[in-house]
Amino acid sequence: MAENNLVERIGEVIQIHANAKQVYGEPVVRGDMTIIPVARVQWGFGGGGIGLGGVERGGGGGGARATPCGYIELRNGQAEYVPIHDLASAGPLIAAGIAGAILGLILGRKLGK
């Protein structure tokens, strides 16, 4: 029964905190333009329990991560979503592509001889 209570409490926390405010920030108004920040939010929770000899034990935990992914620009009755591209996360992929190209050139020259 303790594990049911734990799971119910975790569910309540998710309902309270997992809402649109976690994804859309407070609008910023400048003149005739309004900017609404947008983020990608990931939630993870878990819990469990066990009863041994009349003693019930349980535990749980969780976490969340929010990363900016763009903004909504409102102007003159029009809305436009503008994505934010994270070049830092693309670094390893770019490096692997460059390394592959260099390796291909080296092997091409050696095999061409």
Side-chain angles (χ1 to χ4, degrees):
M1 293 300 166
E3 62 272 6
N4 289 340
N5 267 342
L6 179 62
V7 172
E8 287 173 8
R9 287 193 312 239
I10 290 173
E12 289 170 5
V13 168
I14 291 173
Q15 287 178 354
I16 291 169
H17 296 288
N19 57 48
K21 285 185 180 180
Q22 301 300 324
V23 177
Y24 300 103
E26 293 296 324
V28 176
V29 179
R30 294 288 184 263
D32 66 341
M33 182 171 51
T34 301
I35 301 292
I36 303 170
V38 178
R40 178 176 293 115
V41 180
Q42 298 169 309
W43 293 86
F45 288 90
I50 187 169
L52 294 174
V55 178
E56 294 184 7
R57 304 273 185 210
R65 180 174 83 169
T67 54
C69 62
Y71 58 91
I72 298 170
E73 183 178 300
L74 304 172
R75 186 188 318 208
N76 301 325
Q78 300 291 318
E80 179 183 359
Y81 173 74
V82 181
I84 297 173
H85 302 287
D86 183 10
L87 296 179
S89 65
L93 183 60
I94 293 170
I98 292 171
I102 292 171
L103 182 60
L105 286 172
I106 293 170
L107 288 176
R109 287 184 183 188
K110 289 193 182 235
L111 293 175
K113 289 182 178 181

